[in-house]
Coordinates of all heavy atoms in Angstrom, one line a residue:
M27 N 0.8 -1.2 0.0 CA 0.0 0.0 0.0 C 0.9 1.3 0.0 O 1.8 1.4 0.8 CB -0.9 0.0 1.2 CG -1.7 1.2 1.4 SD -2.9 1.0 2.8 CE -2.5 2.4 3.7
S28 N 0.6 2.2 -0.9 CA 1.4 3.4 -1.0 C 0.9 4.4 0.1 O -0.3 4.4 0.4 CB 1.2 4.1 -2.3 OG 1.7 3.3 -3.3
T29 N 1.8 5.2 0.6 CA 1.5 6.2 1.5 C 2.0 7.5 0.9 O 2.7 7.6 0.0 CB 2.1 6.0 2.9 OG1 3.5 5.9 2.8 CG2 1.5 4.7 3.6
V30 N 1.6 8.6 1.5 CA 2.0 10.0 1.1 C 2.8 10.6 2.1 O 2.4 10.7 3.3 CB 0.7 10.8 0.7 CG1 1.1 12.2 0.4 CG2 -0.1 10.2 -0.4
R31 N 3.9 11.2 1.7 CA 4.8 11.9 2.6 C 4.5 13.4 2.4 O 4.4 13.9 1.2 CB 6.2 11.6 2.4 CG 7.1 12.3 3.4 CD 8.1 11.3 3.9 NE 8.0 11.1 5.3 CZ 8.3 10.1 6.0 NH1 8.7 9.0 5.3 NH2 8.2 10.0 7.2
H32 N 4.3 14.2 3.5 CA 4.0 15.6 3.4 C 5.1 16.3 4.3 O 5.2 16.1 5.5 CB 2.6 15.8 4.0 CG 2.2 17.3 4.2 ND1 2.1 18.1 3.1 CD2 1.9 18.0 5.3 CE1 1.6 19.3 3.6 NE2 1.5 19.2 4.9
I33 N 6.0 17.0 3.6 CA 7.1 17.7 4.3 C 6.9 19.2 4.0 O 6.8 19.6 2.9 CB 8.4 17.2 3.7 CG1 8.6 15.7 4.0 CG2 9.6 18.0 4.4 CD1 9.8 15.1 3.3
V34 N 7.0 20.0 5.1 CA 6.8 21.4 5.0 C 7.9 22.1 5.8 O 8.2 21.6 6.9 CB 5.4 21.9 5.5 CG1 5.2 23.4 5.2 CG2 4.3 21.1 4.9
S35 N 8.5 23.2 5.3 CA 9.5 23.9 6.1 C 9.1 25.4 6.1 O 8.5 25.9 5.1 CB 10.9 23.7 5.5 OG 11.0 24.2 4.2
W36 N 9.5 26.1 7.1 CA 9.3 27.5 7.3 C 10.5 28.2 7.9 O 11.3 27.5 8.6 CB 8.1 27.8 8.2 CG 6.8 27.3 7.9 CD1 5.8 28.0 7.2 CD2 6.3 26.0 8.2 NE1 4.7 27.2 7.2 CE2 4.9 26.0 7.8 CE3 6.8 24.9 8.9 CZ2 4.1 24.9 7.9 CZ3 6.0 23.8 9.0 CH2 4.6 23.8 8.6
R37 N 10.6 29.5 7.7 CA 11.6 30.3 8.4 C 10.7 31.1 9.4 O 9.6 31.5 9.1 CB 12.3 31.3 7.5 CG 13.4 30.6 6.7 CD 14.3 31.6 5.9 NE 13.6 32.7 5.3 CZ 13.7 34.0 5.7 NH1 14.5 34.3 6.7 NH2 13.1 34.9 5.0
K38 N 11.3 31.4 10.5 CA 10.6 32.3 11.5 C 10.5 33.7 10.9 O 11.3 34.1 10.1 CB 11.3 32.3 12.8 CG 12.6 33.2 12.9 CD 13.1 33.2 14.4 CE 14.2 34.2 14.5 NZ 13.8 35.6 14.3
R39 N 9.5 34.4 11.3 CA 9.4 35.8 10.8 C 10.6 36.6 11.2 O 11.1 36.5 12.4 CB 8.1 36.4 11.5 CG 6.9 36.3 10.7 CD 5.7 37.1 11.1 NE 6.1 38.1 12.2 CZ 5.4 38.1 13.4 NH1 4.4 37.2 13.6 NH2 5.7 39.0 14.3
D40 N 11.1 37.4 10.4 CA 12.3 38.3 10.6 C 12.1 39.2 11.8 O 13.0 39.5 12.5 CB 12.7 39.1 9.4 CG 13.2 38.2 8.3 OD1 13.7 37.1 8.5 OD2 13.1 38.7 7.1
D41 N 10.9 39.7 12.0 CA 10.6 40.6 13.1 C 10.3 40.0 14.4 O 10.0 40.7 15.4 CB 9.5 41.6 12.7 CG 8.2 40.9 12.5 OD1 8.1 39.7 12.3 OD2 7.2 41.6 12.5
L42 N 10.4 38.7 14.5 CA 10.0 37.9 15.7 C 11.3 37.7 16.6 O 12.3 37.2 16.1 CB 9.4 36.6 15.4 CG 8.7 35.8 16.5 CD1 7.6 36.6 17.1 CD2 8.2 34.5 15.9
A43 N 11.3 38.2 17.8 CA 12.4 38.0 18.7 C 12.7 36.5 18.9 O 11.8 35.7 18.9 CB 12.2 38.6 20.0
Q44 N 14.0 36.1 19.0 CA 14.3 34.7 19.2 C 13.7 34.1 20.4 O 13.2 32.9 20.3 CB 15.9 34.6 19.3 CG 16.3 33.1 19.3 CD 16.1 32.4 18.0 OE1 15.8 32.9 17.0 NE2 16.1 31.1 18.1
S45 N 13.6 34.8 21.5 CA 12.9 34.2 22.7 C 11.4 34.0 22.4 O 10.9 32.9 22.9 CB 13.1 35.2 23.9 OG 12.5 36.4 23.6
D46 N 10.8 34.9 21.7 CA 9.4 34.6 21.4 C 9.2 33.4 20.4 O 8.3 32.6 20.5 CB 8.8 35.9 20.7 CG 8.6 37.0 21.7 OD1 8.6 36.8 22.9 OD2 8.6 38.2 21.2
W47 N 10.2 33.4 19.5 CA 10.2 32.2 18.5 C 10.3 30.9 19.2 O 9.6 30.0 18.9 CB 11.2 32.4 17.5 CG 11.5 31.1 16.7 CD1 12.5 30.3 16.7 CD2 10.5 30.5 15.8 NE1 12.3 29.2 15.9 CE2 11.1 29.3 15.3 CE3 9.2 30.8 15.4 CZ2 10.4 28.5 14.5 CZ3 8.6 30.0 14.5 CH2 9.2 28.8 14.0
L48 N 11.2 30.8 20.2 CA 11.4 29.5 20.9 C 10.2 29.1 21.6 O 9.8 27.9 21.6 CB 12.6 29.7 21.8 CG 14.0 29.9 21.2 CD1 15.0 30.2 22.3 CD2 14.4 28.7 20.3
T49 N 9.5 30.0 22.2 CA 8.2 29.7 22.9 C 7.2 29.2 21.9 O 6.5 28.2 22.0 CB 7.7 30.9 23.7 OG1 8.7 31.2 24.7 CG2 6.4 30.6 24.4
Q50 N 7.0 30.0 20.8 CA 6.0 29.7 19.8 C 6.3 28.4 19.1 O 5.4 27.6 18.8 CB 5.8 30.8 18.8 CG 5.2 32.0 19.4 CD 4.8 33.1 18.4 OE1 4.4 32.8 17.3 NE2 4.9 34.3 18.8
A51 N 7.6 28.2 18.8 CA 8.0 26.9 18.1 C 7.7 25.7 18.9 O 7.2 24.7 18.4 CB 9.5 27.0 17.7
A52 N 7.9 25.8 20.2 CA 7.6 24.6 21.1 C 6.1 24.4 21.1 O 5.7 23.2 21.1 CB 8.2 24.9 22.5
D53 N 5.3 25.4 21.2 CA 3.9 25.3 21.2 C 3.4 24.7 19.8 O 2.5 23.8 19.8 CB 3.2 26.6 21.4 CG 3.4 27.1 22.8 OD1 3.8 26.4 23.7 OD2 3.1 28.3 23.0
I54 N 4.0 25.1 18.7 CA 3.6 24.6 17.4 C 3.9 23.1 17.3 O 3.1 22.3 16.8 CB 4.3 25.5 16.3 CG1 3.7 26.9 16.2 CG2 4.2 24.7 14.9 CD1 4.5 27.8 15.4
K55 N 5.1 22.8 17.7 CA 5.6 21.4 17.7 C 4.6 20.5 18.5 O 4.1 19.5 18.0 CB 7.0 21.2 18.3 CG 7.5 19.8 18.4 CD 8.9 19.8 19.0 CE 9.4 18.4 19.2 NZ 9.5 17.5 18.1
R56 N 4.3 20.9 19.7 CA 3.4 20.2 20.6 C 2.0 20.0 19.9 O 1.4 18.9 19.8 CB 3.2 20.9 21.9 CG 2.2 20.2 22.9 CD 1.8 21.1 24.0 NE 1.0 22.2 23.4 CZ 1.1 23.5 23.7 NH1 2.0 23.8 24.6 NH2 0.4 24.4 23.2
D57 N 1.5 21.1 19.4 CA 0.1 21.1 18.8 C 0.1 20.3 17.5 O -0.9 19.6 17.2 CB -0.4 22.5 18.6 CG -0.6 23.2 19.9 OD1 -0.6 22.6 21.0 OD2 -0.8 24.5 19.8
L58 N 1.1 20.4 16.7 CA 1.1 19.6 15.4 C 1.2 18.1 15.7 O 0.4 17.3 15.2 CB 2.3 20.0 14.5 CG 2.1 21.2 13.7 CD1 3.5 21.6 13.0 CD2 1.1 21.0 12.6
E59 N 2.1 17.7 16.6 CA 2.3 16.3 16.9 C 1.1 15.7 17.6 O 0.8 14.5 17.5 CB 3.6 16.1 17.7 CG 4.8 16.3 16.8 CD 6.2 16.2 17.5 OE1 6.2 16.2 18.8 OE2 7.2 16.2 16.8
A60 N 0.3 16.6 18.3 CA -0.9 16.1 18.9 C -2.0 15.7 17.9 O -3.0 15.1 18.3 CB -1.4 17.1 19.9
L61 N -1.9 16.1 16.7 CA -2.9 15.8 15.6 C -2.9 14.3 15.3 O -3.9 13.8 14.8 CB -2.6 16.6 14.4 CG -2.8 18.2 14.6 CD1 -2.4 18.9 13.3 CD2 -4.2 18.5 15.0
V62 N -1.8 13.6 15.5 CA -1.7 12.2 15.3 C -2.7 11.5 16.2 O -2.7 11.7 17.4 CB -0.3 11.6 15.5 CG1 -0.3 10.1 15.3 CG2 0.7 12.3 14.5
G63 N -3.6 10.7 15.6 CA -4.6 10.0 16.4 C -5.9 10.8 16.5 O -6.9 10.3 16.9
V64 N -5.9 12.1 16.0 CA -7.0 12.9 16.0 C -7.6 13.0 14.6 O -8.8 13.0 14.4 CB -6.7 14.3 16.5 CG1 -7.8 15.3 16.3 CG2 -6.3 14.3 18.0
I65 N -6.7 13.0 13.6 CA -7.1 13.2 12.2 C -6.9 11.8 11.5 O -5.8 11.3 11.5 CB -6.3 14.3 11.5 CG1 -6.6 15.6 12.2 CG2 -6.7 14.4 10.0 CD1 -5.8 16.8 11.7
D66 N -8.0 11.3 11.0 CA -8.0 10.0 10.3 C -7.0 10.1 9.1 O -7.0 11.0 8.4 CB -9.4 9.6 9.8 CG -10.3 9.2 10.9 OD1 -9.9 8.9 12.0 OD2 -11.5 9.3 10.6
G67 N -6.2 9.0 9.0 CA -5.3 8.9 7.9 C -3.9 9.5 8.1 O -3.0 9.3 7.3
L68 N -3.8 10.3 9.2 CA -2.5 10.8 9.6 C -1.7 9.8 10.3 O -2.1 9.4 11.5 CB -2.6 12.1 10.4 CG -1.4 12.7 11.0 CD1 -0.3 13.0 10.0 CD2 -1.7 14.0 11.8
L69 N -0.7 9.2 9.7 CA -0.1 8.0 10.3 C 1.0 8.3 11.3 O 1.1 7.7 12.4 CB 0.5 7.1 9.2 CG -0.5 6.6 8.1 CD1 0.2 5.9 7.0 CD2 -1.6 5.8 8.7
D70 N 1.8 9.3 11.0 CA 2.8 9.8 11.9 C 3.3 11.1 11.5 O 3.1 11.6 10.4 CB 4.0 8.8 12.0 CG 4.6 8.4 10.7 OD1 5.1 9.3 10.0 OD2 4.6 7.2 10.4
M71 N 4.0 11.8 12.5 CA 4.5 13.1 12.3 C 5.6 13.4 13.2 O 5.6 13.0 14.3 CB 3.3 14.1 12.5 CG 3.7 15.6 12.4 SD 2.4 16.7 12.8 CE 1.3 16.4 11.5
A72 N 6.6 14.1 12.6 CA 7.7 14.6 13.4 C 7.9 16.1 13.1 O 7.8 16.5 11.9 CB 9.0 13.8 13.1
V73 N 8.2 16.9 14.1 CA 8.4 18.3 13.9 C 9.7 18.7 14.5 O 10.0 18.4 15.7 CB 7.3 19.1 14.6 CG1 7.5 20.6 14.4 CG2 5.9 18.7 14.0
A74 N 10.6 19.3 13.7 CA 11.9 19.7 14.1 C 11.9 21.2 14.3 O 11.5 22.0 13.5 CB 13.0 19.3 13.1
I75 N 12.4 21.6 15.5 CA 12.4 23.1 15.8 C 13.8 23.5 16.3 O 14.0 24.6 16.7 CB 11.4 23.4 16.9 CG1 11.6 22.6 18.2 CG2 10.0 23.3 16.3 CD1 10.7 23.1 19.3
D76 N 14.8 22.6 16.3 CA 16.1 22.9 16.8 C 17.2 22.7 15.7 O 18.0 21.8 15.8 CB 16.5 22.0 18.0 CG 15.6 22.3 19.2 OD1 15.3 23.5 19.5 OD2 15.1 21.3 19.8
P77 N 17.1 23.5 14.6 CA 18.0 23.3 13.5 C 19.5 23.6 13.9 O 19.7 24.5 14.7 CB 17.5 24.2 12.4 CG 16.8 25.3 13.2 CD 16.3 24.7 14.4
L78 N 20.4 23.0 13.2 CA 21.8 23.4 13.3 C 22.1 24.7 12.6 O 21.3 25.1 11.8 CB 22.7 22.3 12.7 CG 22.6 20.9 13.3 CD1 23.4 19.9 12.5 CD2 23.0 20.9 14.7
A79 N 23.2 25.3 12.9 CA 23.5 26.6 12.4 C 23.6 26.6 10.8 O 23.5 27.6 10.2 CB 24.8 27.1 13.0
T80 N 23.9 25.4 10.3 CA 24.0 25.3 8.8 C 22.7 25.2 8.1 O 22.6 25.2 6.9 CB 24.8 24.0 8.5 OG1 24.1 22.9 9.2 CG2 26.2 24.0 9.0
S81 N 21.6 25.3 8.8 CA 20.2 25.2 8.2 C 19.8 26.6 7.8 O 20.2 27.6 8.3 CB 19.2 24.7 9.3 OG 19.6 23.4 9.7
N82 N 18.9 26.6 6.8 CA 18.3 27.8 6.3 C 16.8 27.9 6.5 O 16.1 28.7 6.0 CB 18.7 28.1 4.9 CG 18.2 27.0 3.9 OD1 17.5 26.1 4.3 ND2 18.7 27.1 2.7
V83 N 16.2 26.9 7.3 CA 14.9 27.0 7.8 C 14.9 26.8 9.3 O 15.8 26.3 9.9 CB 14.0 25.9 7.1 CG1 13.9 26.2 5.6 CG2 14.4 24.5 7.4
D84 N 13.8 27.2 9.9 CA 13.7 27.1 11.4 C 12.7 26.1 11.9 O 12.8 25.7 13.1 CB 13.2 28.5 11.9 CG 14.2 29.6 11.6 OD1 15.3 29.5 12.0 OD2 13.8 30.5 10.7
L85 N 11.8 25.6 11.1 CA 10.8 24.7 11.5 C 10.5 23.7 10.3 O 10.4 24.1 9.2 CB 9.5 25.5 11.7 CG 8.2 24.7 12.0 CD1 8.3 23.9 13.4 CD2 7.0 25.7 12.1
L86 N 10.5 22.4 10.6 CA 10.2 21.4 9.6 C 9.2 20.4 10.1 O 9.3 19.9 11.2 CB 11.5 20.6 9.3 CG 11.3 19.5 8.3 CD1 11.4 20.1 6.9 CD2 12.3 18.4 8.4
L87 N 8.2 20.2 9.3 CA 7.2 19.2 9.5 C 7.4 18.0 8.6 O 7.5 18.2 7.4 CB 5.8 19.8 9.3 CG 4.6 18.8 9.1 CD1 4.3 18.2 10.4 CD2 3.4 19.6 8.5
D88 N 7.5 16.8 9.1 CA 7.6 15.6 8.3 C 6.5 14.7 8.7 O 6.5 14.2 9.8 CB 9.0 15.0 8.5 CG 9.3 13.8 7.6 OD1 8.4 13.4 6.8 OD2 10.4 13.2 7.7
S89 N 5.6 14.4 7.8 CA 4.4 13.6 8.2 C 4.1 12.6 7.1 O 4.5 12.7 5.9 CB 3.2 14.5 8.4 OG 2.9 15.4 7.3
R90 N 3.3 11.6 7.5 CA 3.0 10.5 6.5 C 1.5 10.2 6.6 O 0.9 10.2 7.7 CB 3.8 9.3 6.9 CG 3.8 8.2 5.8 CD 4.9 7.1 6.2 NE 4.7 6.6 7.5 CZ 4.0 5.5 7.8 NH1 3.5 4.8 6.8 NH2 3.9 5.1 9.0
F91 N 0.9 10.1 5.5 CA -0.6 9.9 5.4 C -0.9 8.6 4.6 O -0.1 8.1 3.8 CB -1.2 11.1 4.7 CG -1.2 12.3 5.4 CD1 0.0 13.1 5.4 CD2 -2.2 12.7 6.3 CE1 0.0 14.3 6.2 CE2 -2.1 13.9 7.0 CZ -1.0 14.7 7.0
S92 N -2.0 8.0 4.9 CA -2.4 6.8 4.3 C -2.8 6.9 2.8 O -2.7 5.9 2.1 CB -3.7 6.2 5.1 OG -4.7 7.1 5.0
S93 N -3.1 8.1 2.4 CA -3.4 8.4 1.0 C -3.4 9.9 0.7 O -3.4 10.7 1.6 CB -4.8 7.8 0.7 OG -5.8 8.5 1.4
A94 N -3.5 10.2 -0.6 CA -3.6 11.6 -1.0 C -5.0 12.2 -0.5 O -5.0 13.4 -0.1 CB -3.5 11.7 -2.5
E95 N -6.0 11.4 -0.4 CA -7.3 11.8 0.1 C -7.2 12.1 1.6 O -7.8 13.1 2.0 CB -8.4 10.7 -0.2 CG -8.7 10.5 -1.6 CD -7.7 9.6 -2.4 OE1 -6.8 8.9 -1.7 OE2 -7.7 9.7 -3.6
A96 N -6.4 11.3 2.3 CA -6.2 11.6 3.7 C -5.5 12.9 4.0 O -5.8 13.7 4.9 CB -5.5 10.4 4.4
L97 N -4.5 13.2 3.1 CA -3.8 14.5 3.2 C -4.7 15.6 2.9 O -4.7 16.6 3.6 CB -2.6 14.5 2.2 CG -1.9 15.8 2.0 CD1 -1.3 16.3 3.4 CD2 -0.8 15.7 1.0
A98 N -5.6 15.5 1.9 CA -6.5 16.5 1.6 C -7.5 16.8 2.7 O -7.8 17.9 3.1 CB -7.3 16.2 0.3
A99 N -7.9 15.7 3.4 CA -8.9 15.8 4.5 C -8.2 16.5 5.7 O -8.7 17.3 6.4 CB -9.4 14.5 4.9
Y100 N -6.9 16.2 5.9 CA -6.1 16.8 7.0 C -6.0 18.3 6.8 O -6.2 19.1 7.7 CB -4.7 16.1 7.0 CG -3.6 16.9 7.6 CD1 -3.3 16.9 9.0 CD2 -2.7 17.7 6.8 CE1 -2.3 17.5 9.5 CE2 -1.7 18.4 7.4 CZ -1.5 18.3 8.8 OH -0.4 19.0 9.3
Q101 N -5.8 18.7 5.5 CA -5.6 20.1 5.3 C -6.9 20.9 5.5 O -6.8 22.1 5.8 CB -5.1 20.3 3.8 CG -3.7 19.8 3.7 CD -3.2 19.7 2.3 OE1 -3.9 19.5 1.3 NE2 -1.9 19.9 2.1
Q102 N -8.0 20.3 5.5 CA -9.3 20.9 5.7 C -9.8 20.7 7.2 O -10.8 21.3 7.6 CB -10.4 20.4 4.7 CG -10.0 20.7 3.3 CD -9.8 22.2 3.1 OE1 -10.6 23.1 3.5 NE2 -8.7 22.6 2.4
H103 N -9.2 19.9 7.9 CA -9.6 19.5 9.3 C -9.5 20.8 10.2 O -8.5 21.5 10.2 CB -8.8 18.4 9.8 CG -9.4 17.8 11.0 ND1 -9.3 18.3 12.3 CD2 -10.1 16.6 11.2 CE1 -9.9 17.5 13.1 NE2 -10.4 16.5 12.5
P104 N -10.5 21.0 11.0 CA -10.5 22.2 11.9 C -9.3 22.2 12.8 O -8.8 23.3 13.1 CB -11.8 22.1 12.7 CG -12.7 21.3 11.8 CD -11.8 20.3 11.0
A105 N -8.9 21.1 13.3 CA -7.8 21.0 14.3 C -6.5 21.5 13.6 O -5.6 22.2 14.1 CB -7.6 19.6 14.9
H106 N -6.3 21.0 12.3 CA -5.2 21.4 11.5 C -5.2 22.9 11.2 O -4.2 23.6 11.3 CB -5.1 20.6 10.2 CG -4.0 21.1 9.3 ND1 -4.4 21.9 8.2 CD2 -2.7 21.0 9.3 CE1 -3.2 22.3 7.6 NE2 -2.2 21.7 8.2
K107 N -6.4 23.4 10.9 CA -6.5 24.9 10.6 C -6.2 25.7 11.8 O -5.6 26.8 11.6 CB -7.9 25.1 10.0 CG -8.1 24.6 8.6 CD -9.5 25.1 8.1 CE -9.6 24.7 6.6 NZ -9.2 25.7 5.7
T108 N -6.5 25.3 13.0 CA -6.2 26.0 14.2 C -4.7 26.1 14.3 O -4.1 27.2 14.6 CB -6.8 25.4 15.4 OG1 -8.2 25.4 15.3 CG2 -6.4 26.1 16.7
V109 N -4.0 25.0 14.2 CA -2.5 25.0 14.3 C -1.9 25.8 13.2 O -1.0 26.6 13.3 CB -1.9 23.6 14.3 CG1 -0.4 23.6 14.5 CG2 -2.5 22.8 15.5
G110 N -2.5 25.7 12.0 CA -2.0 26.4 10.8 C -2.0 27.9 11.0 O -1.1 28.6 10.6
A111 N -3.1 28.4 11.6 CA -3.2 29.8 11.9 C -2.1 30.3 12.8 O -1.5 31.4 12.6 CB -4.6 30.1 12.5
R112 N -1.8 29.5 13.8 CA -0.6 29.9 14.7 C 0.7 29.9 13.9 O 1.5 30.8 14.1 CB -0.6 28.9 15.9 CG 0.7 29.1 16.8 CD 0.8 28.2 17.9 NE -0.2 28.6 18.9 CZ -0.5 27.9 20.0 NH1 0.1 26.7 20.1 NH2 -1.3 28.3 20.8
I113 N 0.9 28.9 13.1 CA 2.1 28.8 12.3 C 2.2 30.1 11.4 O 3.3 30.7 11.3 CB 2.1 27.5 11.5 CG1 2.3 26.3 12.3 CG2 3.3 27.6 10.4 CD1 2.0 25.0 11.6
N114 N 1.1 30.4 10.8 CA 1.1 31.6 9.9 C 1.5 32.9 10.6 O 2.0 33.8 10.0 CB -0.2 31.7 9.2 CG -0.4 30.6 8.2 OD1 0.5 30.0 7.7 ND2 -1.7 30.4 7.9
T115 N 1.2 33.0 11.9 CA 1.5 34.3 12.6 C 3.0 34.3 13.0 O 3.5 35.4 13.3 CB 0.7 34.4 13.9 OG1 1.0 33.4 14.8 CG2 -0.8 34.5 13.5
A116 N 3.7 33.2 13.0 CA 5.1 33.1 13.5 C 6.1 32.9 12.4 O 7.3 33.0 12.6 CB 5.2 32.0 14.5
T117 N 5.7 32.5 11.2 CA 6.6 32.1 10.1 C 6.4 32.8 8.8 O 5.5 33.6 8.6 CB 6.4 30.6 9.9 OG1 5.1 30.4 9.3 CG2 6.7 29.8 11.1
Q118 N 7.4 32.6 7.9 CA 7.3 33.1 6.6 C 8.0 32.1 5.7 O 8.6 31.1 6.2 CB 8.0 34.4 6.5 CG 9.5 34.4 6.9 CD 10.1 35.7 7.0 OE1 9.5 36.8 7.0 NE2 11.5 35.8 7.1
D119 N 7.9 32.3 4.4 CA 8.6 31.4 3.4 C 8.3 29.9 3.6 O 9.2 29.1 3.8 CB 10.1 31.6 3.5 CG 10.5 33.0 3.2 OD1 9.8 33.7 2.5 OD2 11.6 33.5 3.7
R120 N 7.0 29.6 3.4 CA 6.6 28.2 3.5 C 7.0 27.4 2.2 O 6.8 27.9 1.1 CB 5.1 28.1 3.7 CG 4.5 26.7 3.8 CD 3.0 26.7 3.8 NE 2.4 25.4 3.9 CZ 2.1 24.6 2.9 NH1 2.4 25.0 1.7 NH2 1.6 23.4 3.1
H121 N 7.5 26.2 2.4 CA 7.9 25.4 1.2 C 7.3 24.0 1.6 O 7.4 23.5 2.7 CB 9.4 25.3 1.0 CG 10.0 26.6 0.7 ND1 10.0 27.1 -0.6 CD2 10.6 27.5 1.4 CE1 10.5 28.3 -0.6 NE2 10.9 28.6 0.6
C122 N 6.7 23.3 0.6 CA 6.1 22.0 0.8 C 6.5 21.1 -0.3 O 6.6 21.4 -1.5 CB 4.6 22.3 0.8 SG 3.6 20.7 0.9
L123 N 6.6 19.8 0.1 CA 6.8 18.7 -0.9 C 5.9 17.6 -0.5 O 6.0 17.1 0.7 CB 8.3 18.3 -0.9 CG 8.6 17.1 -1.8 CD1 8.3 17.4 -3.3 CD2 10.0 16.6 -1.6
D124 N 5.0 17.1 -1.3 CA 4.2 16.0 -1.1 C 4.5 14.9 -2.2 O 4.6 15.3 -3.3 CB 2.7 16.3 -1.3 CG 2.2 17.4 -0.2 OD1 2.7 17.4 0.9 OD2 1.4 18.2 -0.6
Y125 N 4.7 13.7 -1.7 CA 5.0 12.7 -2.7 C 4.6 11.3 -2.2 O 4.4 11.1 -1.0 CB 6.5 12.6 -3.0 CG 7.4 12.4 -1.9 CD1 7.9 11.1 -1.7 CD2 7.8 13.4 -1.0 CE1 8.8 10.8 -0.6 CE2 8.7 13.1 0.0 CZ 9.2 11.8 0.2 OH 10.0 11.5 1.3
I126 N 4.4 10.4 -3.1 CA 3.9 9.0 -2.8 C 5.2 8.2 -2.5 O 6.2 8.2 -3.3 CB 3.1 8.4 -4.0 CG1 1.8 9.2 -4.2 CG2 2.8 6.9 -3.7 CD1 1.0 8.9 -5.4
I127 N 5.1 7.4 -1.5 CA 6.2 6.4 -1.2 C 5.7 5.0 -1.1 O 4.5 4.8 -1.0 CB 6.9 6.8 0.2 CG1 5.8 6.9 1.3 CG2 7.6 8.1 0.1 CD1 6.5 7.1 2.7

């Protein structure tokens, strides 16, 4: 059975103080990872918020879904939209890659 990998990266907003970012990033990580088991078809998720100095992004979401339909349902789910709104207030430069594995 094929699954879908959904990988998204962001940079923190330039005008956001590092101390504020660290707090918000921890909250975003907690809230995103809590979606596993809440949204059907979301198989697993990892969120990285502690990049090395060689990185050019500050937040990475790596998730796996049972199907493209499950990914589409996740994107419309109210719990995801709530976390997404928080992410949008703290980040810029979103990049996404979805692919079948």
Side-chain angles (χ1 to χ4, degrees):
M27 174 172 129
S28 296
T29 59
V30 173
R31 186 135 239 150
H32 174 62
I33 301 172
V34 186
S35 65
W36 300 263
R37 284 188 320 111
K38 77 172 188 68
R39 271 193 2 239
D40 291 337
D41 63 340
L42 192 62
Q44 186 65 18
S45 59
D46 292 336
W47 167 250
L48 293 174
T49 300
Q50 289 190 38
D53 291 344
I54 290 167
K55 176 181 173 62
R56 179 198 65 225
D57 293 348
L58 279 171
E59 290 177 346
L61 297 175
V62 177
V64 172
I65 300 177
D66 290 340
L68 172 55
L69 302 175
D70 54 58
M71 176 182 292
V73 179
I75 59 172
D76 298 316
L78 298 176
T80 54
S81 300
N82 58 12
V83 297
D84 300 294
L85 174 66
L86 178 82
L87 162 71
D88 184 0
S89 54
R90 195 169 52 96
F91 292 83
S92 59
S93 65
E95 294 79 15
L97 173 58
Y100 159 85
Q101 292 171 329
Q102 298 304 314
H103 194 282
H106 171 259
K107 287 187 174 266
T108 298
V109 180
R112 175 181 283 170
I113 293 168
N114 289 339
T115 65
T117 64
Q118 60 189 12
D119 299 333
R120 178 186 182 273
H121 298 276
C122 175
L123 175 65
D124 297 326
Y125 62 96
I126 295 173
I127 53 176

